[in-house]
Amino acid sequence: QVQLVESGGGLVQAGGSLRLSCAASGSTDINAMGWYRQAPGKQRELVASISVSGVGSFINYAASVKDRFTISRHNAKNTVYLQMNSLKPEDTAVYYCNTSPIRLAWGQGTQVTVSV
């Protein structure tokens, strides 16, 4: 069974940057991965996704993070990254990774807090 471990979150001022990492262990028959986030009182949302294997390739972003966030992968390390630049207070959330669409149990997530 695949386990997901997110890391890299923290407290940063508005305008700052963070790089999140998601390591997948176990069987990795995965076609696409995504970064999701859940802010207090809100539903979990997909912010970025990237194809990992299979026919065709894609990268997609939510409108709210486009041009500020960059998703990337290192297939040999079974790791997906999320580079977050020009962070805003509204980016404050717990960030999770999972397949896209969602097929795996959620990891513990990593907290990102952006102060004004």
Side-chain angles (χ1 to χ4, degrees), residues 57-98:
S57 63
F58 67 84
I59 292 178
N60 292 316
Y61 298 99
S64 58
V65 306
K66 190 174 175 62
D67 299 326
R68 299 189 298 120
F69 290 9
T70 302
I71 189 170
S72 61
R73 67 179 190 262
H74 193 305
N75 285 357
K77 294 183 179 180
N78 292 330
T79 301
V80 178
Y81 305 97
L82 187 68
Q83 177 67 43
M84 306 186 296
N85 299 328
S86 301
L87 283 161
K88 305 175 180 180
E90 52 263 44
D91 295 318
T92 295
V94 180
Y95 284 71
Y96 304 86
C97 63
N98 209 310

Side-chain angles (χ1 to χ4, degrees), residues 5 13 26 32 36-37 39 50 53 66 71 84 87-88 100-101 109:
V5 179
Q13 288 187 328
Y36 302 77
R37 69 184 180 187
I50 185 170
S53 63
K66 190 174 175 62
I71 189 170
M84 306 186 296
L87 283 161
K88 305 175 180 180
S100 179

